[in-house]
Amino acid sequence: QVQLVESGGGSVQAGGSLRLSCTATRYSFSYICIGWFRQPPGKEREGVAARYTNGGRTYYADSLKGRFTISQDNAKKTMYLQMNSLKPEDTAMYYCAAARMASSTGCGGTWAPSYWGQGTQVTVSS
């Protein structure tokens, strides 16, 4: 079973940056899709970004391309989400999620994670 530990949320002014971290424990960092979802206040959860640990195929929500970057550190078994030029509408609870996959097909988009982190709050003030 994959356990996900998140960190890095917080409060920032519009235009600022934050980096979220998601460390996978209790499982090899191979052949898994890891990504983030977010849920703004009063809205439904939406996919943000995802990356397949083998080969590095990435997915981004169209509205976030160019501002958010997902990357990985295999030695630390950690996936990062660098968020730049943050806007008030980026305010949400961000959840790290993962699914074991034999290939990168299906990583991102409408994928259905099997494992979830505890969530970390990101608040962007204007």
Side-chain angles (χ1 to χ4, degrees):
Q1 184 173 353
V2 180
Q3 185 175 22
L4 303 173
V5 180
E6 301 178 49
S7 62
S11 298
V12 66
Q13 290 190 328
S17 299
L18 285 172
R19 188 178 76 162
L20 305 183
S21 300
C22 177
T23 300
T25 64
R26 297 186 178 179
Y27 191 74
S28 168
F29 202 58
S30 297
Y31 302 107
I32 56 175
C33 175
I34 301 180
W36 273 268
F37 291 77
R38 69 183 184 182
Q39 188 164 18
K43 297 184 179 181
E44 293 186 355
R45 187 175 61 196
E46 60 183 0
V48 173
R51 182 179 175 99
Y52 189 63
T53 56
N54 291 68
R57 176 183 171 181
T58 58
Y59 157 84
Y60 296 97
D62 287 341
S63 61
L64 301 176
K65 288 180 180 178
R67 294 195 299 123
F68 288 17
T69 303
I70 191 169
S71 61
Q72 67 188 71
D73 184 327
N74 291 339
K76 296 182 178 179
K77 297 175 67 176
T78 298
M79 196 70 75
Y80 300 101
L81 183 69
Q82 179 67 42
M83 305 184 294
N84 297 327
S85 302
L86 284 163
K87 305 175 181 180
E89 52 263 43
D90 294 318
T91 294
M93 183 69 78
Y94 283 70
Y95 296 93
C96 178
R100 288 183 279 182
M101 295 181 180
S103 72
S104 62
T105 303
C107 181
T110 58
W111 69 301
S114 302
Y115 309 99
W116 293 86
Q118 78 278 11
T120 186
Q121 179 68 37
V122 171
T123 302
V124 184
S125 58
S126 58

